[in-house]
Amino acid sequence: MANENIFDAIIVGAGPAGTTAAFVLAKAGMNVALLERGPSAGSKNVFGGVLYATVLNRLIPNFWEQAPLERHIKGIKIFLISPDNAVSIGVESQAHNNPPFNNSFTVSRAHFDHWYASKAEEAGAMFLTNTLVDDLLKYRDKVIGVKVRGEEGELYADVVIVADGVNSILAEKAGLRKPYARRQVSLGMKEIIELPRSVIEDRFGLSGHEGVELKYIAGDATKGIWGGGNIYTNLESLSLVTWVAVDPMLKAKVKATDLFEQFKEHPFVRNYIKGGETVEYQAHLAPDGGYDATPQYFTDGLMIAGDAARFLNASVHYEGTNFAMASGEAAAKTFLEARRNNDYTAKSLSHYQKLLNESFVMKDLNRYRKMNHFAEKNPEFFGPYFDVITQAAIDFFTVKEMPKRTQEWQMIKDFYKNLRRVSKSRFPLLSFIWKAIKGGISFI
Ligand SMILES: Cc1cc2nc3c(=O)[nH]c(=O)nc-3n(C[C@H](O)[C@H](O)[C@H](O)COP(=O)(O)OP(=O)(O)OC[C@H]3O[C@@H](n4cnc5c(N)ncnc54)[C@H](O)[C@@H]3O)c2cc1C
């Protein structure tokens, strides 16, 4: 066996999880190989638009001075939409125009991942692109390396860190994960729509590198199916995204592409994108099962990080990148601890679980664990209920020639009447309040 085939650690996948693990290990002087199937890091990656970067800023302080970023997110606007009405709430802060820019930036993954992998390389990692890992190598049930398609052949290491994303074949080959059940996955669709910089800045009230995110939560954004839509501002383009839970979508017999087209044409969306030219079209799965769907994420000689381990917060905050980086860092730190003890057994690597349990990764996954159950058990909440809420808000602000007190009573009566129409409960108001509280607690 040639020495160049032997590493301290092998990391599969140069997304945020894998590159973080490679960066931390290379910085600590380890002999690390980072393997990526694409022709460059980021070439195969799809995400909505916002890189969450608290971990990155710790690892590479003030990274925004060198990383290829689009805009920092200074404000977020959340919409509930029905076919004709919208209710929105926005937050915006001048403080987010200053470092660390609320740790949220729109990026092109092709550019950002490429830059980030180059940082791991600079730190000393061996970065191999066009390198597709087909299988794990095992000796007496311990993972001892990977099998690469093509001339690299077999590569060996004390530990393999699997960070190959949502469809992780390797986590399945390790026997730690089954293929996704329909209930554990959502489908994201995305278009990048080019517009002149000045148009974007005028349309969204931005200047310099300021950016915003518009979040459309379920309702008519996804025709009442649990999911949502987003618009993110880049420097000279918008990212338009929908994502929808696969199981209810299949049950409703609708196509994700139709939902996407309807979202684009929606009266509360189309004006933001009008005049733009679609230059890229992408689709990707995202893990959606939350805490209860996370698999066993370590075994003898192996750890799983990022989407491969289903570490994604799909709540109103929708954070995957920070979770990927935090888990990549925790896997790297676990490796360093295991190396000190020269013990790479599952028992030793269980330190990974301890680090994740102490971090926001497991705490947040646990915090939102009821979200999917709520969405599954209360599908009506995202369709008819949203219509009732938005109609009540419109009624409140509709200008009529009558005293406001009379108008408010009329609004309350209509609200109740509409609730009775859509609610199956004998006590529609109580049921609505109870669901609104439960839903709010689960998602926000
Ligand atoms: C539509 C959509 C919108 C999203 N929006 C956001 C958002 O706005 N903000 C956010 O924080 N998160 C968002 N996410 C989630 C986020 O993209 C992921 O959580 C994050 O990319 C996970 O990083 P990762 O490193 O685990 O996996 P990935 O980024 O998927 O990287 C995995 C890498 O492994 C490589 N790979 C796969 N198999 C192999 C193999 N066998 N051999 C070698 N290489 C392999 C792939 O090419 C890829 O580069 C979104 C996801 C989707 C689908």
Side-chain angles (χ1 to χ4, degrees), residues 5 17 71 73 120 224 277 279 281 391 434:
N5 286 1
R71 294 175 183 272
I73 298 293
E277 187 195 347
V279 291
Y281 187 83
Q391 187 58 54
W434 177 237

Side-chain angles (χ1 to χ4, degrees), residues 12-19 35-38 40-52 109 113 131-134 163-166 169-170 186-190 213 232 241-243 284-287 305-308 311-312 317-322 324:
V12 184
T19 299
L35 313 181
E36 168 57 45
R37 67 179 168 170
S40 64
S43 59
K44 299 260 180 195
N45 302 65
V46 178
F47 94 139
V50 178
L51 169 80
Y52 296 99
R109 287 288 297 271
D113 287 23
T131 304
L132 178 76
V133 175
D134 271 332
D164 54 349
V166 61
I169 303 292
L170 296 179
S186 60
L187 177 62
M189 316 276 296
K190 174 175 178 181
E213 175 186 1
Y232 303 95
V241 178
T242 58
W243 61 272
H284 207 272
L285 293 176
D307 273 12
F311 296 149
L312 183 134
H317 301 287
Y318 213 87
E319 269 184 53
T321 45
N322 228 7

Side-chain angles (χ1 to χ4, degrees), residues 66-86:
Q66 42 169 322
L69 307 170
E70 296 280 328
R71 294 175 183 272
H72 60 264
I73 298 293
K74 75 158 184 177
I76 297 176
K77 202 166 174 189
I78 295 179
F79 289 84
L80 304 186
I81 53 176
S82 65
D84 299 317
N85 304 324

Side-chain angles (χ1 to χ4, degrees), residues 67-194:
L69 307 170
E70 296 280 328
R71 294 175 183 272
H72 60 264
I73 298 293
K74 75 158 184 177
I76 297 176
K77 202 166 174 189
I78 295 179
F79 289 84
L80 304 186
I81 53 176
S82 65
D84 299 317
N85 304 324
V87 175
S88 64
I89 172 173
V91 288
E92 190 172 318
S93 173
Q94 285 304 318
H96 295 167
N97 283 332
N98 302 319
F101 304 103
N102 198 28
N103 289 296
S104 39
F105 303 84
T106 51
V107 297
S108 144
R109 287 288 297 271
H111 296 142
F112 173 78
D113 287 23
H114 180 72
W115 168 83
Y116 194 29
S118 77
K119 288 284 130 185
E121 233 179 336
E122 268 172 35
M126 178 189 276
F127 180 40
L128 298 175
T129 52
N130 292 312
T131 304
L132 178 76
V133 175
D134 271 332
D135 210 345
L136 298 167
L137 300 171
K138 291 185 187 170
Y139 177 72
R140 292 187 179 158
D141 285 342
K142 178 192 181 293
V143 175
I144 56 163
V146 296
K147 201 166 174 190
V148 171
R149 195 177 293 178
E151 63 186 36
E152 303 296 341
E154 297 185 340
L155 303 176
Y156 297 87
D158 292 324
V159 167
V160 172
I161 299 175
V162 166
D164 54 349
V166 61
N167 287 320
S168 182
I169 303 292
L170 296 179
E172 283 173 34
K173 295 217 166 175
L176 298 181
R177 235 188 71 170
K178 294 202 174 80
Y180 275 108
R182 278 164 39 165
R183 300 167 52 231
Q184 295 173 336
V185 75
S186 60
L187 177 62
M189 316 276 296
K190 174 175 178 181
E191 274 186 24
I192 297 178
I193 299 172
E194 269 184 6

